[in-house]
Amino acid sequence: MKLWIYPLMVVFAASSYGTLSTMVKLAIGDGYTASEAISSQYIVGFLLALVIYLLTQRKLPRLYGGFKIILLAGVFTATTGIVYGMSLIYLPASLAVVMLFQFTWIGTLIDCIIRKRLPSRAETISLIILFLGTILAAGILDVDLSGIDWRGWVYGFAAAVSFSLNMNVNTKQVEGMNTTTRLLFVSFIAALMISFFQSPEIMWNGKLFTEPLLFYGLALGLLGIIIPIYFFVIAVPKVGGAVSSILSAMELPVAVIVSVLVLSEALSWLQILGIVVILVGMCIPTLATISKNKKRQTAL
């Protein structure tokens, strides 16, 4: 497979995450709570994974090994949604996004600690550019930071750490388990955990099966569970945790663009500049990695 396919898969998975905040806002506008929207995402996401498994595998799923990896992947998938949702209670949306995007350097730091290495020059330059671009694209320069509840900062940072850990877990492959089976187990664990902290009652009070919420659940489940988990599982081990964290910064430009197109939110020139800066920052480590791989192949 071409070298650029795997980075592109990470970007596509991150882009699907970028649509979620707009869909949750649309669900809230239709009279649902954020908790109900998030619950529908994980519950319907698991049901979609189950359907995909039954249609493609047609055998009982078995967890031969790697239980710890699958458990952690499911837990971190769920906790990211939970704590990020909590941060939105105390932080302006723009600032919550900036806090979440700390996963770019946290993910690189975790990868460096695990591999016992220092960040490469390309990674360092990319992170600096991404940080500047994130501030511009999120539009927080005009946000008053005084009086913000400390819990917002904690939940926002926790979301970034959780996402980074999830990205790192996705670098671990489970021998003998295909991607579809892994998707089923991870989505089940995530849905189970979400049921303890969000609104599981939508399953038995019939609310989940009302037309608007079911529609949001299908969209959120597909873009927030099926696509990102499937693509991350395939691509992150090939790309690496550090570069994957950087490439996942694509989530922010997509979130801004979708909110403008769907919610008619204002977009300033500074935000446009920030999006461009983020795209530039994302390309640096990917191009450096591809260049190194080509040189190695040439040398061989």
Side-chain angles (χ1 to χ4, degrees), residues 180-202:
T180 304
T181 305
R182 179 163 175 164
L183 170 65
L184 178 66
F185 281 118
V186 170
S187 62
F188 172 71
I189 294 171
L192 189 63
M193 188 170 178
I194 281 290
S195 296
F196 285 104
F197 295 96
Q198 298 297 313
S199 302
E201 66 275 5
I202 62 174

Side-chain angles (χ1 to χ4, degrees), residues 12-297:
F12 187 74
S15 298
S16 70
Y17 271 135
T19 65
L20 302 184
S21 58
T22 294
M23 284 190 285
V24 170
K25 289 181 180 179
L26 289 173
I28 293 173
D30 278 342
Y32 300 104
T33 65
S35 178
E36 289 172 338
I38 293 172
S39 295
S40 72
Q41 170 188 334
Y42 284 85
I43 294 169
V44 176
F46 164 66
L47 295 176
L48 288 173
L50 179 61
V51 170
I52 293 172
Y53 182 86
L54 293 175
L55 291 176
T56 59
Q57 304 300 308
R58 299 181 181 180
K59 60 182 179 180
L60 292 176
R62 294 184 180 181
L63 190 59
Y64 295 101
F67 174 76
K68 183 179 179 181
I69 295 174
I70 299 301
L71 177 63
L72 289 175
V75 168
F76 290 138
T77 297
T79 54
T80 300
I82 293 170
V83 293
Y84 182 63
M86 292 297 294
S87 73
L88 289 170
I89 297 175
Y90 303 102
L91 296 176
S94 57
L95 187 55
V97 170
V98 171
M99 290 302 298
L100 174 64
F101 266 69
Q102 302 311 301
F103 72 74
T104 50
W105 66 265
I106 295 174
T108 302
L109 176 62
I110 292 174
D111 187 79
C112 289
I113 292 174
I114 292 176
R115 298 174 182 271
K116 297 179 180 179
R117 66 177 182 87
L118 294 174
S120 67
R121 180 182 300 177
E123 288 171 350
T124 303
I125 295 173
S126 178
L127 288 173
I128 294 172
I129 294 174
L130 285 175
F131 180 76
L132 296 174
T134 300
I135 293 176
L136 294 173
I140 65 168
L141 295 179
D142 297 328
V143 175
D144 183 9
L145 301 182
S146 63
I148 292 179
D149 195 305
W150 62 271
R151 287 172 290 185
W153 301 108
V154 173
Y155 284 126
F157 188 75
V161 173
S162 178
F163 190 88
S164 301
L165 291 171
N166 187 36
M167 191 69 66
N168 180 262
V169 170
N170 278 318
T171 65
K172 314 294 183 183
Q173 294 180 314
V174 178
E175 187 175 351
M177 179 179 289
N178 61 33
T179 305
T180 304
T181 305
R182 179 163 175 164
L183 170 65
L184 178 66
F185 281 118
V186 170
S187 62
F188 172 71
I189 294 171
L192 189 63
M193 188 170 178
I194 281 290
S195 296
F196 285 104
F197 295 96
Q198 298 297 313
S199 302
E201 66 275 5
I202 62 174
M203 288 187 290
W204 55 77
N205 66 12
K207 206 167 188 178
L208 176 61
F209 303 102
T210 58
E211 184 175 333
L213 188 58
L214 182 59
F215 170 78
Y216 289 120
L218 287 169
L220 289 165
L222 179 63
L223 295 170
I225 301 294
I226 303 300
I227 291 177
I229 291 178
Y230 205 92
F231 278 61
F232 279 146
V233 167
I234 294 173
V236 171
K238 303 291 185 181
V239 177
V243 175
S244 294
S245 295
I246 291 173
L247 292 175
S248 294
M250 186 65 185
E251 181 182 343
L252 178 56
V254 171
V256 173
I257 292 171
V258 172
S259 66
V260 171
L261 295 177
V262 178
L263 302 176
S264 300
E265 293 187 357
L267 181 65
S268 69
W269 285 106
L270 280 178
Q271 288 177 291
I272 295 175
L273 176 61
I275 291 173
V276 173
V277 170
I278 288 175
L279 295 176
V280 172
M282 286 170 47
C283 292
I284 294 175
T286 306
L287 293 175
T289 300
I290 292 175
S291 177
K292 283 183 180 179
N293 291 334
K294 286 184 176 179
K295 288 180 179 179
R296 288 174 184 173
Q297 291 179 355

